[in-house]
Structures are given as C-alpha cells and as structure tokens.
Amino acid sequence: SSKALPMGPRASRGSGEAWSAGDRVEVWSNTHQAWCPGHVEEVRADNMISVAFKLPIEEPDNMASKCLPANHSHLRRAMVGEQGAAEFTKGAAVEVWSNSSQAWCPGYVHGITQDMLYLAFRLPGSKADEWSQKQLPATHKDVRLASGAARAAGSRASAASAASGIAAAAAPPGSS
C-alpha cells in the first residue's frame, strides 16, 4: 500500500550527512506502525545501512534489525540532545503534541518500557475524564517534560485519571 508515514520535520537526514556506526536513529516498523529507537550497526560499501532497534512491545526479545538503503524513508536520525527514557519517570507531567489539534496537550507518563513511553493526555476542549493515549519513543519530538502550568496540569491529570480508572487503559501491554 502507499500509506504515508508520519514523518514530521525529521523526515530527512539533513544536507547529505553520512551515516556512521553508532549513530542514533529511528526506524519505521511496518508491523507495529511506529517509529522505533535504535542505532546504526554498520555502514556498508554498497550504501546499505545495518540498524538495530527496539520494537514497541514488552517482551524479552524486543530487538530487531534490518538493512536499508542510506536514503530510505523508513530510516531517520534521532534528535541529538533530547531527553531519553532515563529523564522520564512514571507519573511525570509531560506535554504531548496532538497532530489533530495542532497543540501541545498536558498529560503524564503512565508507563515506561525501555525507551518507549506510554502517555495519557487531554486534548483541548475535552472533558475532565476524557483521555487520549499515545505510545512514543522517549526521544520523540512529540513528547517533552512539562514546565510551569503544564506540569501542574499533568500532575492533576495523573491523579485524576488514576482515580477514574483511565490509567489502566493506557498501560503498557503486560503491565496490569
């Protein structure tokens, strides 16, 4: 199928930058319909890139690898200097970008599995008990630690959703 990938502003690798072993990347998983955090294992002479990446599943064997052309649309650089999973904690207040609302929304981290975050957040104009959910790599551009008023809203959100049972719906697979 010719389904468009959710690329965003990091769709390209930049102005012809060469790949190097160890580069942090995100790899598109057709099976899971998600960008997965990983790294370049090898840059081959035929311009093929061997990558290893973490699948968005909670299983002991959640690593995968594939070999892609250097300019493939399923391979992009991870943002350097962004937060990693270590900077997020369960219950932490976050802001989550909503593509449909084109806005940063207050929310919280419901669960963490390695570098994947399970998020609950409120869309603009939603009722107090209406929660949206998203699963993203910790380095994804669409999630950031909250600050100021957003942090307070996220903390209230975490407590309110836990009380209403919504938290269970946002749980990582196998965490209940």
Side-chain angles (χ1 to χ4, degrees):
S1 71
S2 59
K3 186 175 180 180
L5 300 179
M7 298 298 275
R10 288 186 286 164
S12 68
R13 292 184 323 280
S15 55
E17 292 179 60
W19 292 103
S20 299
D23 283 353
R24 286 182 36 203
V25 297
E26 289 181 337
V27 180
W28 179 255
S29 166
N30 286 317
T31 303
H32 298 283
Q33 293 292 295
W35 285 101
C36 303
H39 66 276
V40 172
E41 290 190 314
E42 179 186 10
V43 179
R44 298 186 347 199
D46 61 359
N47 207 29
M48 296 292 286
I49 309 296
S50 174
V51 293
F53 56 99
K54 294 178 184 176
L55 296 172
I57 56 176
E58 187 177 320
E59 293 180 7
D61 185 24
N62 71 340
M63 291 298 291
S65 62
K66 61 170 76 171
C67 202
L68 296 168
N71 61 351
H72 200 281
S73 63
H74 291 190
L75 178 65
R76 66 184 185 189
R77 290 191 188 279
M79 292 294 283
V80 176
E82 281 196 13
Q83 66 269 9
E87 295 187 42
F88 290 99
T89 56
K90 189 170 180 177
V94 295
E95 293 175 296
V96 180
W97 179 254
S98 165
N99 289 316
S100 59
S101 298
Q102 292 293 295
W104 286 101
C105 303
Y108 71 99
V109 176
H110 178 71
I112 302 172
T113 57
Q114 294 182 342
D115 288 336
M116 293 301 294
L117 302 176
Y118 296 83
L119 308 163
F121 60 100
R122 293 196 49 222
L123 293 169
S126 63
K127 295 178 185 170
D129 62 350
E130 286 180 348
W131 293 92
S132 294
Q133 299 159 24
K134 216 176 240 194
Q135 174 185 336
L136 294 171
T139 56
H140 200 280
K141 64 180 176 49
D142 290 350
V143 62
R144 63 187 183 194
L145 290 169
S147 59
R151 178 171 285 133
S155 296
R156 286 192 304 274
S158 180
S161 69
S164 69
I166 296 300
S175 67
S176 53

